[in-house]
């Protein structure tokens, strides 16, 4: 089976965010594999081990994304592809990323494409469904279970806490939700092996794409931090009195009761 | 007059509140525009269509088809695309819900359009419509504009105020026949895990538990408080990892990002990942045994104490004023 994973690097969830001149400050920040993409990598490996085939991890990003691709290889993916847009694209959006991936997948004959259901930075959740639409294959988002039997694919889909049992067939694109699996940590032998696994680097020119097709459809005009929350009031006194005061504050001051 | 298409969403037969917020959002995009609601289903849609009118839609198109009984991106996608082709709307608005997230990228891709997901505010600046949306789970915000022809946005529940319901409003309700074929993703069954009641992402009040809740049973008083306030129960990752509750309740950088009017954090330490998911709530109450807990730094009101003592007292006190 030809399995592909769409992977994005994101800020570590521990990172505080700083903004300078309307841009996110990324100097010295720690980056990780987007946590939802980790579920995708894990699931790809599990499915490959069960059905055979190969797992290729694909990133549209910059040179620094190599680190996260190596981590995915260390987890057990077979190959990695970095589509480096650093020199060619000033600004991209979900439309452009999906277009680039469409061009990449044109001749790939993918059976299964997995992605995170959302990236924890931009959090649009658009690229997976957009790509599936461009490739003309069905997609199922926010999956928490995946069984493949021949061409038949049975999926558990999380819908705001309820579970939909979905049946579809290969090829399909799925986006992964928490609860699908427990992503493994790369083992030491895995890390050693990853260094020798193939990591192909492509640029826009290597794909069959016109530059004017990559004009983004949205534009970011500002980035700012939310107003700092003032430290609130920690109540004092007997517990019973505190609770009474709290209810009174919620009713009369905050007006939320 | 430009047309503003609002895609309505129902849950258990009733329209979701975010649909009414989407109508108000459409009016923010163009206050002179005609709001055209669209509803998909296989049964009676008349009453829901009327509701959309009461909340500000100028007319509503109802599409009925057996293949629209349950939502699928393929079925609803075909139906909505048919309406878009008929109406050529200047803007499309929908709630940023499970269905909104699933459906809108497909339509945007078909239209080769930009799409702003999860907007929390909309302003008009000259001839530009500027959308505000959280990034990094609310640790920062960005303002975005759309540069393609159609303005296309999903709005986060609880952020844009719906118009007041006005039963004297009238509007045309029409039905439309659409071919809905070739559904490749078939819903075989739906297992309801979420108890009846309020959805976490739309809840006005959330009572959330962390590791301090200690067990599955420990969530019971939290549920009781949430029920009393007409709210929903949420959880921190710690509580989910410890299997006190389902991951569907998780609030944080992974998990849901919520902005209720009132957020009551019980036994939650306040890790940065959790704060990202809830710190934009309007009023935050923290209940924690540890006076040094980080959650107190974002709380409007804090009680240092054992949640198993405080929550039952809180329930009694609130009952007194209800």
């Amino acid at each position: 089976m030809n399995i592909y994973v769409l992977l994005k690097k994101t800020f570590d969830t521990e990172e505080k965010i700083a903004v300078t001149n309307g841009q996110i400050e990324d100097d010295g920040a720690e980056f990780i594999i987007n946590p939802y993409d980790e579920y995708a990598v894990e699931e790809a490996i599990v499915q490959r081990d069960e059905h055979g085939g190969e797992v290729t991890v694909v990133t549209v990003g910059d040179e620094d994304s190599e680190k996260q691709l190596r981590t995915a290889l260390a987890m057990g993916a077979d190959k990695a592809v970095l589509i480096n847009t650093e020199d060619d694209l000033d600004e991209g959006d979900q439309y452009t990323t999906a277009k680039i991936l469409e061009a990449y997948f044109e001749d790939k004959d993918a059976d299964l494409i997995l992605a995170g259901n959302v990236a924890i930075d931009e959090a649009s959740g658009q690229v997976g469904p957009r790509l599936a639409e461009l490739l003309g294959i069905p997609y199922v988002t926010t999956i928490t279970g995946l069984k493949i039997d021949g061409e038949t694919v049975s999926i558990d889909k999380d819908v705001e806490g309820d579970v939909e049992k979905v049946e579809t067939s290969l090829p399909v694109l799925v986006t992964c939700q928490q609860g699908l699996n427990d992503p493994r940590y790369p083992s030491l032998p895995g890390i050693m092996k990853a260094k020798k696994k193939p990591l192909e680097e492509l640029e826009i020119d290597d794909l069959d794409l016109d530059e004017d097709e990559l004009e983004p459809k949205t534009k970011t005009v500002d980035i700012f931090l939310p107003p700092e929350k003032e430290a609130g009031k920690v109540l004092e006194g007997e517990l019973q009195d505190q609770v009474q005061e709290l209810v009174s504050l919620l009713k009369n001051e905050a007006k939320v009761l | 007059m430009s047309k503003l298409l609002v895609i309505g969403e129902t849950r258990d037969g009733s329209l979701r509140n975010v649909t009414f917020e989407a109508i108000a959002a459409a009016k923010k995009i163009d206050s002179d525009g005609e709001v055209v609601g669209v509803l998909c289903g296989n049964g009676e849609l008349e009453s829901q269509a009327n509701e959309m009118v009461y909340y500000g839609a100028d007319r509503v198109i109802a599409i009925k088809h057996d293949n629209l009984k349950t939502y699928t991106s393929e079925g609803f996608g075909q139906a909505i695309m048919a309406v878009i082709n008929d109406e050529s709307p200047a803007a499309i608005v929908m709630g940023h819900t499970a269905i909104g997230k699933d459906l809108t990228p497909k339509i945007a891709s078909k239209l080769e359009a930009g799409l702003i997901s999860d907007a929390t505010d909309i302003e008009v600046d000259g001839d530009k419509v500027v959308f505000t949306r959280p990034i990094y789970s609310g640790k920062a915000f960005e303002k975005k504009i759309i540069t393609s022809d159609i303005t296309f946005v999903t709005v986060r529940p609880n952020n844009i105020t719906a118009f007041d319901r006005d039963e004297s409003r009238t509007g045309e309700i029409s039905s439309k026949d659409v071919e809905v074929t070739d559904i490749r993703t078939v819903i075989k069954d739906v297992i309801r895990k979420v108890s009846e009641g309020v959805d976490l992402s739309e809840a006005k009040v959330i009572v959330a538990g962390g590791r301090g809740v200690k067990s599955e049973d420990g969530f019971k008083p939290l549920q009781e408080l949430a029920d009393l306030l007409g709210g929903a129960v949420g959880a921190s990752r710690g509580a989910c990892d410890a299997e006190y509750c389902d991951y569907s309740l998780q609030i944080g950088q992974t998990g849901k990002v919520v902005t209720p009017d009132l957020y009551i954090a019980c036994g939650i330490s306040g890790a940065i990942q959790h704060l990202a998911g809830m710190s934009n709530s309007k009023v935050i109450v923290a209940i924690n045994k540890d006076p040094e807990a980080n959650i107190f730094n974002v709380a409007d009101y804090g009680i240092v104490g054992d949640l198993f003592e405080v929550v039952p007292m809180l329930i009694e006190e609130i009952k007194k004023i209800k």
Side-chain angles (χ1 to χ4, degrees), chain B residues 223-291:
Chain B
Q223 184 70 54
E224 194 185 336
L225 179 57
D227 289 345
L228 181 65
L229 296 169
V233 167
S236 72
R237 178 167 194 159
C240 299
D241 282 347
E243 297 182 0
Y244 303 161
C245 63
D246 197 78
Y247 276 110
S248 60
L249 300 187
Q250 187 182 325
I251 292 164
Q253 192 148 11
T254 49
K256 293 191 168 67
V257 179
V258 295
T259 42
D261 292 343
L262 174 59
Y263 190 92
I264 304 178
C266 308
I268 291 177
S269 61
I272 183 168
Q273 294 91 339
H274 184 74
L275 300 189
M278 49 62 77
S279 60
N280 294 310
S281 303
K282 285 166 200 113
V283 177
I284 298 169
V285 172
I287 300 164
N288 201 300
K289 276 202 282 200
D290 175 10

Side-chain angles (χ1 to χ4, degrees), chain A residues 13 36 121-122 126 130 133 136 139 141 160 162-163 165 167-168 217 219 221-222 224 233 235 253, chain B residues 98 102 106 110 113 115 117 133 136 139 141 143 145 147 184 186 188-189 191 255 300-302:
Chain A
T13 56
Y36 292 102
D121 47 13
E122 302 269 329
Q126 292 183 24
R130 275 184 184 264
E133 182 60 32
Y139 65 85
T141 56
E160 293 172 359
D162 293 333
V163 181
K165 298 278 181 190
E167 204 166 285
T168 186
K217 306 289 185 186
K219 190 173 156 53
V221 291
D222 193 18
F224 59 97
K233 195 187 285 183
L235 307 181
E253 188 177 273
Chain B
D102 194 71
K106 182 186 187 80
K110 276 192 190 291
L115 166 62
S117 300
R133 62 184 299 274
Y136 300 87
K139 288 177 184 170
F141 285 82
K143 286 187 189 277
I145 56 171
T147 51
R184 296 170 292 180
V186 183
K188 292 283 184 187
D189 196 10
I191 300 162
D300 299 277
Y301 307 111

Side-chain angles (χ1 to χ4, degrees), chain A residues 20-236:
Chain A
T20 314
N21 298 328
Q23 299 280 338
I24 298 280
E25 189 70 66
D26 60 5
D27 268 4
E30 283 293 320
F31 286 90
I32 55 170
I33 296 176
N34 174 44
Y36 292 102
D37 299 351
E38 274 191 343
Y39 300 119
V41 175
E42 174 66 31
E43 194 61 27
I45 295 167
V46 169
Q47 296 295 340
R48 177 206 59 199
D49 290 350
E50 192 177 334
H51 302 286
E54 201 171 61
V55 174
T56 308
V57 188
V58 186
T59 285
V60 177
D62 57 20
E63 211 172 353
D64 294 341
S65 306
E66 193 180 321
K67 189 174 164 223
Q68 285 69 38
L69 288 172
R70 289 280 175 211
T71 305
L73 293 172
M75 286 170 74
D78 301 289
K79 296 196 298 193
V81 177
L82 169 59
I83 305 172
N84 190 340
T85 59
E86 230 169 346
D87 299 334
D88 301 317
L89 273 188
D90 290 336
E91 207 179 349
D93 65 357
Q94 298 82 15
Y95 167 82
T96 52
T97 304
K99 275 294 209 192
I100 292 165
L101 288 168
E102 179 197 16
Y104 171 79
F105 277 104
E106 210 163 38
D107 57 356
K108 292 299 181 289
D109 215 9
D111 296 303
L112 176 65
I113 304 175
L114 301 110
N117 88 77
V118 73
I120 59 166
D121 47 13
E122 302 269 329
S124 80
Q126 292 183 24
V127 170
R130 275 184 184 264
L131 175 63
E133 182 60 32
L134 290 171
L135 297 175
I137 62 173
Y139 65 85
V140 182
T141 56
T142 58
I143 72 160
T144 54
L146 178 65
K147 283 223 157 46
I148 300 171
D149 183 7
E151 292 293 299
T152 307
V153 183
S154 307
I155 291 171
D156 287 354
K157 172 177 163 64
D158 165 56
V159 183
E160 293 172 359
D162 293 333
V163 181
E164 274 182 7
K165 298 278 181 190
V166 184
E167 204 166 285
T168 186
S169 57
L170 297 176
V172 66
L173 183 148
V174 295
T175 74
C176 302
Q177 173 69 304
Q178 202 161 28
L180 176 63
N181 54 41
D182 287 316
R184 69 195 68 191
Y185 290 103
S187 65
L188 195 56
I191 294 167
M192 300 310 288
K193 266 195 229 158
K195 290 181 180 159
K196 293 195 185 118
K197 287 181 179 172
L199 193 153
E200 183 185 11
E201 189 169 330
L202 299 172
E203 293 192 2
I204 302 288
D205 284 349
D206 300 318
L207 301 170
D208 184 19
L209 267 173
D210 285 334
E211 224 164 88
D212 56 355
E213 280 182 87
L214 294 180
E215 196 67 39
K217 306 289 185 186
T218 58
K219 190 173 156 53
T220 302
V221 291
D222 193 18
I223 293 178
F224 59 97
L225 296 177
E228 193 90 18
K229 250 203 122 120
E230 283 175 44
K233 195 187 285 183
V234 176
L235 307 181
E236 286 172 356

